[in-house]
Amino acid sequence: MTTDSFKTRGSLQSGGKTYEVHSLDVLARTHPAVKQLPFSLRVLLENLLRHEDGRVVKREHIEKMLGWNPKAAPETEISFHVARVLLQDFTGVPAVVDLAGMREALAALGGDPNKINPRNPADLVIDHSVVVDQFGTSQAFQANADLEFDRNRERYAFLRWGQGAFRNFRVVPPDTGICHQVNLEFLAQVVFSDGTGAYPDTLVGTDSHTTMVNGLGVVGWGVGGIEAEAALLGQPLTMLIPQVVGFRLGGKMPPGATATDLVLTVTQMLRKKGVVGKFVEFFGPGITELSLPDRATIANMAPEYGATIGFFPVDAQTLAYLRFTGRPPAQVELVEAYCKAQGLLHTDETPEPVFSDLLSLDLGTVEPSLAGPRRPQDRVPLKDAKRIFETNLLEMVNAPPPQDDDLAPVAGQPKPPSGTSKLAASAAVSQGTLSYRLQHGAVVIAAITSCTNTSNPAVLLAAGLLAKKAVERGLGTKPWVKTSLAPGSKVVMDYLRSAGLVPYLQALGFHLVGYGCTTCIGNSGPLPEHISSAVTEQDLVVAAVLSGNRNFEGRINPFVRMNFLASPPLVVAYALAGEMDIDLVTEPLAVDRNGAPVYLKDVWPSDQEIREAIAAHVKPEQFRNQYAHALDGDERWKSLRVPSSDTFAWDDRSTYVRRPPFFENLPRDPAPVHDVRGARVLAVLGDSVTTDHISPAGSIAKASPAARYLMEQGVEPKDFNSYGSRRGNHEVMVRGTFANIRLRNLLVPGVEGGVTVHLPTRERMSIYDAAMKYAAEKTPLVVLAGAEYGTGSSRDWAAKGTLLLGVRAVLAKSFERIHRSNLVGMGVLPLQFEQGEDTSTLGLTGKETFEILGVADGLAPGKRLTVKATGEQGSKEFTVTCRIDTPNELDYYRNGGILPFVLRQLAKA
């Protein structure tokens, strides 16, 4: 029972049922500011009203929300209680591993292990494990599904155990779809009911693209596995009441422009504006012009533009989508009744809320675009794509590697080729009866992939229609292109088949390869040997074009240095062209069977053709049929042998699932925190280092520390699988932390990869080996970094691995929201340089010994700490800001992390 000091508790009638609600309308009668709040903040306000208990949520928190100053810097901490949690299998497995470990740890502390259960409903969707090993054949889907199950049987059995052992926990089996699309089309309720009460459907997810559901009017965002586990256990998320940037959309999309072009434009604008840590809420007459899948495309990319959420309020489009995707009529009726009663239903007459800042976009100005070659915010108008490619190629081919006097190459090494000869490099390739030359800029991967676009029938049908027109003109995919079609939902293939477009996509090599997150997360699979060999031998800069949301360096494929995001029809177009060194606006894609040039405009489907295809072939029964048995799984899933037990029987021989190390010998009370003394630098990193650079992801290199470990356990290289599939094994993951092949550690200039220097001995070695050497010497470690440290996916292992390597603090110019929170959640100090300062301005080389003072003495959120760096040239002192932002986070840090904190709370209870 809540305190209800504002007397908002009331009832709502819907579908013959009575629900308890906390009425924003009642509150607005005495506090008119309610109706000026952005819709997303109204959801947070209702959350506070419903959970007011005088302890965690106090009257003053509600008053602060009512008195929200949109222009003020966030300073008020509130507790946000989510309705549910969404997990995907890569990030979800370690969460379930930790829950299993917590059961044993709680028993050791004298508690009841069966208290460790999700307190909030949790859905885990197995979607990140399929790899594009096979492609270009009608057998590709079955072959990849078989390989996926063979590789992950042990992990899947563990998840089946968890489904039976934990209450309030569901698993969506493999080969069903991407978690965000399953969430959008099936799991999300918009208005949640626990049987007696009705309230907004809110969630956090262990994937940063959880924000996709914001397009459906659901407030939710991505968190690390650490925060998600706390939410699973009923802990509130602590957050500062955010600023909300309003994004006004007006006008109509021009012919030929897609939702992908729109989202790349929005991403570029918002990243330039700077919205990290802020909510973005879309409004204006233009939103009614966008379909629900268009909105979901924009919401999905919130991590790319840096916002916590990218929110569209509930309106008539939302209700229509819920009906269309087969939600029960009573649920849609409840959503409409609740949102109307609460002032959460947006209409054309709705007054414009007050925002912290405003941006606007005329949809009519959106033009065909790509983004790349390294970051999703780097939008490239299609008309400029060739020029941008050439500029980046010059940079990649001609950039001289920096040198360090201490680590210079040995004298007498051969002089590298000149820039001119490098640009002219090419490789002769024999592929069966075919022979051709592979050059810089060759498109070696063309992938229709990722939830960003595959929730959207408009762009998928456009891709199919373009394929049809191309095939009818006699065009074909270039032989060096690895093609793939990986939808986020089985519904996609239903409407593509209904429209008769599957044969045309297959004729161009776009066969179904799996229902899951593939190329976008590094599961593009191996390039054919003749392609990878050619790339390696001639050091070619080749490209991937994918319809995803992430294109960070080293993410898509280790042999591919340029990666461009594009709409599905553009992916098909570049597969036909086979190269980036082409202007698709003015130059022909290819020549037809009669030798006549065929231009992109000749095969691009009209908006009318796309609308007619959607109307004729996308049907409600497709959603109802596919999701009626979404939780059942196939025969392989059903036949898994799983023991029934309250605690998991760990197998010491397992290389997939190991007892987590975070709870070993955990004392009932935490030890006092200490200053950091005598620390050495493990890595000096630049700006925009992503969680892909930090956390193990993708394939396991044969010469890596993780590979050595696996081979010591008897695992052959062919069975290494990916880092993501082994996230339940900390021994693999810690060895892969900071092991990304594109990581640039400035302690080892001119070298890419997970390499550092053990400073006392000046030995060059892997980051893992150096960390273990430092650990044996009892030397604490720090990492020095630039701006936007930790951007990208919400990878909990980016923080867990950092901790297990012995890193006590990370000093950076700025942090991305999720990773900063995860560092605190693992007991690692995030420290921010003062404005205008960084490693360069302070003259830090990373070879100094560091002391961090002020931790033991009254550590507090935002406290200024003193850092003393001592090197060969003497000592220097400077101040940094402790980026522990809230009192709750301070509790987590003092306990050595959020999981020990929760365990101790449960043990005391």
Side-chain angles (χ1 to χ4, degrees):
M1 187 66 69
T2 60
T3 304
D4 195 25
S5 61
F6 288 85
K7 308 302 179 188
T8 60
R9 187 183 294 114
S11 61
L12 173 75
Q13 301 286 330
S14 177
K17 294 183 178 180
T18 302
Y19 299 92
E20 181 181 287
V21 298
H22 281 265
S23 174
L24 295 175
D25 186 57
V26 168
L27 185 63
R29 294 170 195 168
T30 54
H31 296 79
V34 170
K35 295 190 175 180
Q36 292 184 307
L37 287 174
F39 283 84
S40 51
L41 291 192
R42 297 181 205 182
V43 173
L44 296 188
L45 175 59
E46 186 281 339
N47 199 277
L48 293 174
L49 293 171
R50 183 161 36 91
H51 290 96
E52 184 193 4
D53 60 0
R55 186 179 64 86
V56 176
V57 178
K58 302 177 181 178
R59 179 187 175 95
E60 64 194 64
H61 296 139
I62 299 168
E63 290 172 339
K64 287 284 189 180
M65 183 68 83
L66 291 168
W68 178 65
N69 180 349
K71 300 296 184 182
E75 61 178 7
T76 301
E77 178 196 358
I78 60 171
S79 293
F80 178 51
H81 295 75
V82 297
R84 60 190 177 93
V85 178
L86 178 69
L87 309 168
Q88 45 100 323
D89 59 315
F90 271 17
T91 49
V93 164
V96 182
V97 166
D98 286 347
L99 288 177
M102 289 174 75
R103 280 195 163 184
E104 294 173 300
L106 185 57
L109 291 174
D112 178 2
N114 287 314
K115 284 185 178 179
I116 302 292
N117 285 294
R119 296 283 299 276
N120 294 311
D123 292 296
L124 186 149
V125 182
I126 299 176
D127 65 344
H128 274 50
S129 298
V130 61
V131 177
V132 187
D133 287 284
Q134 301 294 322
F135 69 100
T137 73
S138 56
Q139 290 79 42
F141 169 68
Q142 191 61 49
N144 291 329
D146 289 342
L147 282 167
E148 174 193 356
F149 212 88
D150 289 344
R151 290 167 175 159
N152 297 285
R153 183 180 301 275
E154 188 178 323
R155 199 161 56 97
Y156 291 173
F158 172 70
L159 291 175
R160 280 288 310 272
W161 167 81
Q163 188 176 31
F166 295 113
R167 297 189 298 274
N168 233 7
F169 178 63
R170 296 188 300 184
V171 176
V172 178
D175 307 315
T176 302
I178 294 172
C179 64
H180 312 306
Q181 198 158 336
V182 173
N183 193 21
L184 189 78
E185 297 175 354
F186 176 57
L187 299 173
Q189 300 183 36
V190 183
V191 172
F192 210 84
S193 173
D194 58 9
T196 58
Y199 43 90
D201 179 11
T202 57
L203 76 154
V204 289
T206 58
D207 190 295
S208 49
H209 295 99
T210 299
T211 55
M212 186 172 183
V213 82
N214 300 161
L216 197 62
V218 175
V219 170
W221 57 85
V223 295
I226 302 124
E227 290 175 292
E229 289 168 46
L232 286 173
L233 294 167
Q235 295 292 305
L237 276 77
T238 57
M239 60 183 293
L240 300 174
I241 299 175
Q243 291 186 329
V244 183
V245 175
F247 199 119
R248 180 186 286 114
L249 296 172
K252 295 185 178 181
M253 293 279 284
T258 68
T260 313
D261 304 321
L262 171 59
V263 75
L264 295 179
T265 303
V266 168
T267 298
Q268 182 186 45
M269 291 175 65
L270 285 168
R271 183 57 79 168
K272 182 178 179 181
K273 181 72 174 177
V275 293
V276 172
K278 300 176 183 180
F279 283 11
V280 171
E281 188 164 308
F282 295 89
F283 70 103
I287 65 173
T288 59
E289 299 295 325
L290 300 180
S291 68
L292 201 292
D294 287 350
R295 299 177 188 185
T297 301
I298 294 172
N300 181 291
M301 292 281 277
E304 278 62 61
Y305 45 81
T308 304
I309 64 173
F311 186 76
F312 289 83
V314 176
D315 65 1
Q317 286 264 38
T318 315
L319 300 174
Y321 183 81
L322 292 174
R323 294 187 189 98
F324 192 84
T325 51
R327 265 58 170 216
Q331 178 65 25
V332 183
E333 184 180 340
L334 174 61
V335 172
E336 184 171 15
Y338 182 87
C339 291
K340 279 183 177 178
Q342 291 284 59
L344 295 174
L345 189 70
H346 183 275
T347 68
D348 291 340
E349 291 73 42
T350 300
E352 184 178 304
V354 175
F355 293 107
S356 305
D357 205 347
L358 289 171
L359 276 84
S360 61
L361 174 66
D362 177 357
L363 296 175
T365 64
V366 174
E367 59 182 323
S369 301
L370 299 86
R374 295 186 182 93
R375 301 186 305 176
Q377 64 262 39
D378 296 332
R379 185 181 69 88
V380 179
L382 183 61
K383 64 179 185 291
D384 297 331
K386 179 176 180 177
R387 177 178 59 81
I388 297 297
F389 158 73
E390 291 171 344
T391 300
N392 280 278
L393 179 63
L394 279 169
E395 175 192 326
M396 291 182 179
V397 168
N398 289 335
Q403 295 295 338
D404 184 320
D405 292 340
D406 296 330
L407 300 167
V410 177
Q413 282 187 338
K415 186 178 178 181
S418 69
T420 304
S421 61
K422 283 184 178 180
L423 280 172
S426 66
V429 179
S430 295
Q431 181 178 335
T433 58
L434 287 174
S435 295
Y436 50 83
R437 296 202 73 83
L438 201 67
Q439 297 177 317
H440 290 303
V443 174
V444 297
I445 292 176
I448 300 174
T449 183
S450 171
C451 45
T452 315
N453 290 283
T454 59
S455 69
N456 199 324
V459 290
L460 282 163
L461 287 166
L465 290 166
L466 189 150
K468 181 175 185 291
K469 291 172 183 283
V471 170
E472 289 171 344
R473 290 292 298 269
L475 305 189
T477 298
K478 294 297 185 288
W480 53 81
V481 184
K482 180 174 184 177
T483 48
S484 60
L485 170 60
S489 162
K490 289 186 173 181
V491 174
V492 172
M493 295 308 294
D494 285 344
Y495 60 70
L496 286 175
R497 289 189 187 101
S498 175
L501 298 175
V502 171
Y504 299 101
L505 286 164
Q506 291 180 340
L508 298 181
F510 288 95
H511 293 74
L512 175 69
V513 296
Y515 296 102
C517 201
T518 55
T519 304
C520 201
I521 57 158
N523 283 358
S524 61
L527 292 177
E529 178 64 30
H530 54 271
I531 299 295
S532 58
S533 295
V535 170
T536 302
E537 289 166 8
Q538 296 299 322
D539 196 21
L540 297 179
V541 177
V542 293
V545 182
L546 61 147
S547 66
N549 49 31
R550 291 272 161 90
N551 59 334
F552 301 126
E553 285 185 284
R555 182 183 182 97
I556 305 306
N557 187 282
F559 295 99
V560 181
R561 293 176 62 186
M562 285 193 183
N563 299 284
F564 292 91
L565 305 183
S567 65
L570 275 181
V571 170
V572 177
Y574 274 103
L576 296 169
E579 60 178 319
M580 295 304 303
D581 194 14
I582 183 174
D583 183 347
L584 292 186
V585 177
T586 62
E587 298 177 38
L589 274 173
V591 294
D592 65 13
R593 59 174 63 91
N594 298 318
V598 179
Y599 293 84
L600 180 61
K601 63 185 179 181
D602 299 332
V603 293
W604 194 270
S606 69
D607 291 358
Q608 180 65 25
E609 288 176 289
I610 296 169
R611 283 194 295 269
E612 289 174 356
I614 292 172
H617 301 291
V618 185
K619 300 295 184 183
E621 55 267 25
Q622 294 165 347
F623 294 89
R624 288 196 295 268
N625 292 341
Q626 289 294 356
Y627 285 113
H629 306 288
L631 300 175
D632 295 347
D634 59 19
E635 288 307 312
R636 290 169 302 190
W637 178 258
K638 293 174 183 175
S639 64
L640 281 172
R641 296 182 61 186
V642 181
S644 65
S645 56
D646 293 335
T647 56
F648 187 66
W650 305 101
D651 183 353
D652 291 339
R653 297 167 299 174
S654 173
T655 57
Y656 278 95
V657 179
R658 305 277 292 185
R659 187 194 312 271
F662 310 114
F663 315 111
E664 291 177 1
N665 304 315
L666 186 74
R668 193 173 184 86
D669 296 302
V673 294
H674 297 288
D675 292 345
V676 178
R677 297 184 183 275
R680 285 292 199 168
V681 174
L682 186 63
V684 180
L685 307 172
D687 294 341
S688 299
V689 169
T690 71
T691 48
D692 280 12
H693 289 110
I694 308 165
S695 175
S699 59
I700 299 172
K702 293 178 182 177
S704 66
R708 287 205 313 266
Y709 163 81
L710 288 172
M711 287 188 283
E712 287 167 2
Q713 310 306 309
V715 179
E716 296 181 21
K718 67 182 179 63
D719 297 320
F720 279 175
N721 211 333
S722 66
Y723 279 112
S725 68
R726 294 186 182 273
R727 282 192 183 189
N729 183 345
H730 61 278
E731 298 285 5
V732 171
M733 299 303 284
V734 69
R735 285 165 171 80
T737 303
F738 291 112
N740 185 288
I741 59 171
R742 296 292 177 227
L743 183 77
R744 297 183 182 92
N745 180 3
L746 300 182
L747 283 176
V748 194
V751 176
E752 289 186 333
V755 182
T756 193
V757 175
H758 178 255
L759 294 164
T761 62
R762 308 187 71 77
E763 292 178 83
R764 183 181 294 189
M765 61 185 68
S766 74
I767 282 180
Y768 171 77
D769 289 335
M772 295 304 100
K773 196 173 180 69
Y774 282 124
E777 297 162 353
K778 301 192 181 325
T779 301
L781 300 172
V782 297
V783 168
L784 305 180
E788 296 182 338
Y789 182 74
T791 60
S793 300
S794 55
R795 299 191 189 280
D796 59 327
W797 267 107
K800 287 179 175 177
T802 298
L803 171 74
L804 294 180
L805 286 174
V807 175
R808 297 280 303 281
V810 177
L811 288 73
K813 286 180 69 175
S814 62
F815 293 88
E816 195 78 350
R817 174 185 60 86
I818 297 174
H819 186 57
R820 182 207 62 79
S821 175
N822 282 348
L823 287 172
V824 178
M826 291 310 299
V828 178
L829 264 178
L831 304 175
Q832 190 159 316
F833 292 113
E834 300 286 6
Q835 186 70 31
E837 293 185 348
D838 57 23
T839 54
S840 178
T841 63
L842 291 167
L844 301 175
T845 65
K847 298 173 184 176
E848 302 87 355
T849 301
F850 284 77
E851 294 184 358
I852 302 169
L853 310 175
V855 177
D857 180 22
L859 187 64
K863 183 181 179 182
R864 296 289 199 277
L865 302 177
T866 298
V867 178
K868 183 178 180 180
T870 303
E872 293 178 356
Q873 305 304 315
S875 297
K876 61 189 72 177
E877 289 191 2
F878 55 94
T879 58
V880 293
T881 300
C882 171
R883 284 302 311 277
I884 294 175
D885 288 356
T886 68
N888 265 24
E889 286 187 344
L890 184 59
D891 285 340
Y892 300 153
Y893 179 74
R894 289 188 180 282
N895 276 271
I898 196 168
L899 300 180
F901 171 78
V902 171
L903 266 177
R904 289 182 174 117
Q905 296 298 107
L906 288 170
K908 290 175 182 176

